[in-house]
Each structure stands twice: as C-alpha cells, then as structure tokens.
Amino acid sequence: MEYIRMENTGAVAVLTVDRPKALNALNSHVLEEMNEALDSLDPSIVRVMIITGAGEKSFVAGADISEMCTLTKEQGSAFGRKGNALFRRIETLPFPVIAAVNGFALGGGNELAMCCDIRICSENAVFGQPETGLGITPGFGGTQRLARLVGLGMAKQLLYTARNIKASEALRIGLVNAVYPPDELMDAALRLAEQIASNAPIAVRACKKAVNEGIELGMDDAADLEVRLFGDCFETEDQRLGMGSFLKKEKHPPYLNR
Ligand code: CAA
C-alpha cells in the first residue's frame, strides 16, 4: 500500500495514514487503502487499534481539496458516501479504536478522529471543521458526530464559523480525553491500548456495543440491550477466570478471549 501503514503485532494494531506531503489528506486512493488495511486485520486477534498520522505536523488535514474541487453534485455525493461508509465501518469495528491525533485534524481528519472510540492528542494538535469556509458541508460524518460528542450548541458554532481550535480547547469541550507533549503521544496511546487489551476482550467489545447501540435507543430498550450483553458474559471462560481470580485474591492470568 502507498498511503497506509498497518503494524499489527498481536493484540494492538496501529494504522498510520502516511501521505505527509499533503499533510495526510484523504483522497479516494487513501480511503480505498484504509478499507484494504481493515480487511487485513484478524478480529479474533486484534483487541485494540490505534489510528495516527505520519510526520510531526498532521494527523489528517481533511479530505483532499484538489480531488474535490472539480466534482459534480453526483460525484460529490459518491465521495461523501465513500468516506461516510469507511468511517462508519471504523466506528462499528468490534474492538475499540483510539485516535492518537498528532497535529492537524481538520475536516475529514476531525471526522476520522470522531469515528474512533477514544481521542487523545498532542499539544500541537488543531481541530476544526473548515468546510463552510470552502463552500461545502462536512461530508464524512462531521455534522452528526460533532453534535453527539460536544453538544448541539458548540457543534453548530464550530460548523458555522469554520474556526479551528487548539488542543486545550478540544480538551475543555470534551472532544479529546487527554493532551500530551508530542513526543509522548504514541507511548500514551500504546499504554492506553495495552490497558484495554489486558481486560476481557468479549466484555470490552460488549461495552462498545452497549454504548454505541444503546445511545440510539430509548432508556428501556437500552437497558434491555445492556442486560442481554451482561448475561452473555456469564457463558464466557473469561468471566469465570476474572471472578474466580478475584475470589482467590489472585491476579487473573491473561484473558483467553473466550
Ligand atoms: N487537501 C489537499 N491538499 C492539502 C490539504 C487538503 N485537505 N491540506 C494540506 N494540503 C497540502 C497543501 O496543498 C500543501 O501542498 P503543496 O506543498 O503541494 O502546496 C501541503 O499539503 C502542505 O500544506 P500547507 O503548505 O498548506 O501547510 P501549512 O502548514 O501552511 O498549513 C493547514 C497547514 C492549515 C492544515 C493547511 O494546509 C490547510 O488549511 N489545509 C486544508 C485544511 C482543510 O480545509 N481541510 C478540510 C477539507 S474539506 C473536508 O475534509 C470535507 C469533508 O468533510 C469530507
């Protein structure tokens, strides 16, 4: 692959968007390769994925403006559908995904970060949805996920003004969970990934499903969903391992994912 690197050393996979000359902007080719990279993962082995950008300046500086500038209405819709489908695929992967935002996360870059389960960033990160300043709306899920993450009022302000915000403001509004010096970001992402990967994978995946699907439901249906997933855990070996170790006052051995 030309623009995507996937390092998969067991439980933690790291996907890097690697097109630094264009600040890792997403053209059709990058989107296709990202899909290919996801195809290559074995979901029975991977427990957490980290997404980051190559270079020291940018996570992803958006969808590729030079590709978009001559699109027709139909081609624009098709490009939006392609990006939206990929980001929905990432959002609904069975395992958690961490965005390690190492610089510009603008437009499609912020949208990529937002389809991940958890976002952490470096002090030099910059977030924003600049689309209205370019004569378009976000097209890879930005209007929907930004409102869900930071609330309607703040999302609308960011969308209408096209204003970029720094890491400290992204932290304040809840767009990211933590900010690190640039040279500490990847270690922090890997530590977080290892911590998640050390817990019972079936339970972690069930939490992801419960939160993602439950948030779309009324409270009664959401509680039913949680109860079903909670009950399912009791037929796993990892539940017996975890609870058995606790009662024996021992540290649990590595979880088996079954
Ligand atoms: N698309 C295509 N090329 C891009 C790009 C993008 N989104 N972002 C940066 N680049 C390219 C630049 O054109 C430049 O290429 P050349 O060296 O060939 O001229 C190279 O990356 C380096 O960029 P700059 O020289 O501009 O770097 P800078 O440090 O001066 O500025 C920046 C950095 C503020 C991120 C600036 O590049 C910028 O504003 N980029 C565009 C950001 C943007 O508007 N993103 C949203 C796109 S729309 C979208 O994403 C729609 C959607 O929802 C799907």
Side-chain angles (χ1 to χ4, degrees), residues 19-26 57-58 61-68 79-80 104 106-109 111 128-131 134 136-142 164:
R19 196 190 171 209
K21 278 191 188 144
L23 301 184
N24 305 322
L26 305 171
K57 202 170 156 181
S58 186
D64 191 303
I65 299 171
S66 49
E67 178 173 337
M68 284 186 295
F79 189 57
F104 293 115
L106 300 175
E111 291 169 303
Q129 296 293 156
E131 285 88 349
L134 294 164
I136 57 172
T137 68
F140 293 174
N164 292 345

Side-chain angles (χ1 to χ4, degrees), residues 6-54:
M6 179 70 93
E7 290 147 71
N8 182 8
T9 46
V12 178
V14 181
L15 184 155
T16 305
V17 182
D18 189 3
R19 196 190 171 209
K21 278 191 188 144
L23 301 184
N24 305 322
L26 305 171
N27 61 21
S28 299
H29 195 159
V30 179
L31 297 178
E32 279 150 25
E33 286 195 359
M34 220 185 278
N35 257 316
E36 244 181 83
L38 297 179
D39 291 341
S40 75
L41 290 178
D42 181 347
S44 67
I45 295 172
V46 175
R47 297 187 183 189
V48 185
M49 182 168 79
I50 297 170
I51 300 183
T52 194

Side-chain angles (χ1 to χ4, degrees), residues 55-97:
E56 288 167 4
K57 202 170 156 181
S58 186
F59 174 68
V60 165
D64 191 303
I65 299 171
S66 49
E67 178 173 337
M68 284 186 295
C69 70
T70 55
L71 298 183
T72 62
K73 174 178 168 169
E74 288 71 28
Q75 289 167 332
S77 298
F79 189 57
R81 244 192 314 278
K82 193 174 205 166
N84 251 294
L86 170 62
F87 289 7
R88 184 72 180 137
R89 180 178 182 193
I90 293 171
E91 186 170 49
T92 56
L93 283 169
F95 43 80
V97 183

Side-chain angles (χ1 to χ4, degrees), residues 106-126:
L106 300 175
N110 192 38
E111 291 169 303
L112 175 59
M114 290 193 296
C115 74
C116 299
D117 294 275
I118 296 171
R119 283 152 296 287
I120 60 174
C121 74
S122 54
E123 286 160 348
N124 63 325
V126 177

Side-chain angles (χ1 to χ4, degrees), residues 159-181:
L159 293 165
Y160 303 163
T161 61
R163 186 173 70 88
N164 292 345
I165 58 171
K166 293 183 177 165
S168 54
E169 191 171 352
L171 181 65
R172 185 178 64 75
I173 66 174
L175 187 55
V176 298
N177 291 1
V179 182
Y180 297 92

